[in-house]
Amino acid sequence: MTAPAPHVRASGAGPAVICLHANASSSAQWRSLMDLLSADHRVLAPDLYGAGRSPDWPSDRRIALRDEVDFLAPVFDESGESFVLVGHSYGAAVALVAALAMPERVRALAIYEPTLFAVVDALQPRPNGSEGIHAAVAASVAALDGGDLHEAARHFIDYWMGDGSFAAMPEPRRQAVAESMRNVRRWAHALTTEPTPLEAFAALDMPVLYMLGASSPASVHAVANVLIPRLPKVEVVEFAGLGHMAPVTHPDQINAEIVRFIADVAP
């Protein structure tokens, strides 16, 4: 039986950069970054399970971040002996687990607000700063169980982007996001049950750019507060006035920082 393979956007030639997208998104979110990097790099942006044009995971309830890493094996193979990983949100959490799985191949990490909530909950019982995302997921799941994909999406998107954000989206985008809510249980499962112990991240001895939005929800700052001190070669950049979806809503600012970082540490 042939293993499932991700759909991949690819451009350019040179040292490899792999870009991993957020939940309720796809590889399309990295198009402008690909344009910036592809003159000097081979840039690969896969769709994760159930996103874009990639196949679905065969369960709506159970998936692990390592399953996403295994799914991306063809992308890693195409990237050669070493590569830079770029990730946003869920994609940043996948990037961290991938770097732990093959530290000798990952030259650098550029991550924007990894949603690795398991490390927060493992360190301290709630209340610990993660309450907001747990409540948003519970509300989304309840709406999903009631057959209302749009209401599920409203709870999820408005948590990350502010009240009214889902309603303000153009209709085609709103419909696509609503359909993606079928995956909300498994996203939550992967991010809240990841078994990697917090101290394991101290082994990531490559340069890490850890980006944050100053206006992002408390849950991602709670993750940052416990992860950043464990990363031995971390550079932290916080963007005033920006939120969790800044790589999508303000790509010029975020992409400029990623391009600068790659040029500095992994040209």
Side-chain angles (χ1 to χ4, degrees), residues 186-264:
R186 71 169 184 245
W187 297 337
H189 180 264
L191 295 169
T192 60
T193 66
E194 170 56 40
T196 302
L198 177 60
E199 295 307 324
F201 294 97
L204 294 180
D205 197 34
M206 70 285 292
V208 178
L209 172 64
Y210 199 119
M211 294 170 283
L212 290 157
S215 300
S216 294
S219 60
V220 289
H221 285 275
V223 175
N225 288 342
V226 298
L227 264 183
I228 287 171
R230 272 77 182 180
L231 299 170
K233 295 181 179 177
V234 65
E235 174 190 356
V236 180
V237 175
E238 183 170 281
F239 296 88
L242 299 189
H244 183 65
M245 294 305 295
V248 175
T249 61
H250 296 79
D252 290 350
Q253 289 174 253
I254 309 306
N255 291 347
E257 203 62 45
I258 295 171
V259 170
R260 188 272 311 162
F261 171 73
I262 292 174
D264 286 348

Side-chain angles (χ1 to χ4, degrees), residues 142-167:
L144 184 65
D145 288 345
D148 193 336
L149 289 171
H150 282 73
E151 184 67 3
R154 183 184 70 78
H155 286 292
F156 190 78
I157 296 300
D158 285 7
Y159 171 74
W160 287 117
M161 301 183 69
D163 290 347
S165 295
F166 178 69

Side-chain angles (χ1 to χ4, degrees), residues 7-70:
H7 173 261
V8 183
R9 295 173 186 267
S11 64
V17 178
I18 301 171
C19 303
L20 306 180
H21 63 80
N23 291 138
S25 187
S26 74
S27 58
Q29 80 167 73
W30 297 117
R31 284 178 295 193
S32 59
L33 179 61
M34 294 178 76
D35 290 343
L36 291 172
L37 289 172
S38 59
D40 303 300
H41 295 82
R42 176 69 169 165
V43 190
L44 303 168
D47 291 326
L48 298 171
Y49 268 122
R53 293 169 60 186
S54 280
D56 206 3
W57 175 255
S59 166
D60 69 349
R61 294 177 185 270
R62 295 288 183 267
I63 193 171
L65 296 177
R66 187 56 194 253
D67 294 321
E68 299 278 15
V69 174
D70 292 344

Side-chain angles (χ1 to χ4, degrees), residues 82-147:
S82 68
F83 45 83
V84 175
L85 281 175
V86 175
H88 170 212
S89 190
Y90 183 82
V94 174
L96 283 166
V97 173
L100 284 173
M102 46 188 142
E104 73 288 349
R105 297 183 64 191
V106 178
R107 289 160 44 226
L109 276 168
I111 49 178
Y112 192 98
E113 294 187 346
T115 48
L116 199 57
F117 305 117
V119 297
V120 178
D121 291 340
L123 190 65
Q124 178 185 336
R126 283 179 255 161
N128 57 20
S130 69
E131 293 75 38
I133 185 57
H134 289 290
V137 167
S140 292
V141 167
L144 184 65
D145 288 345

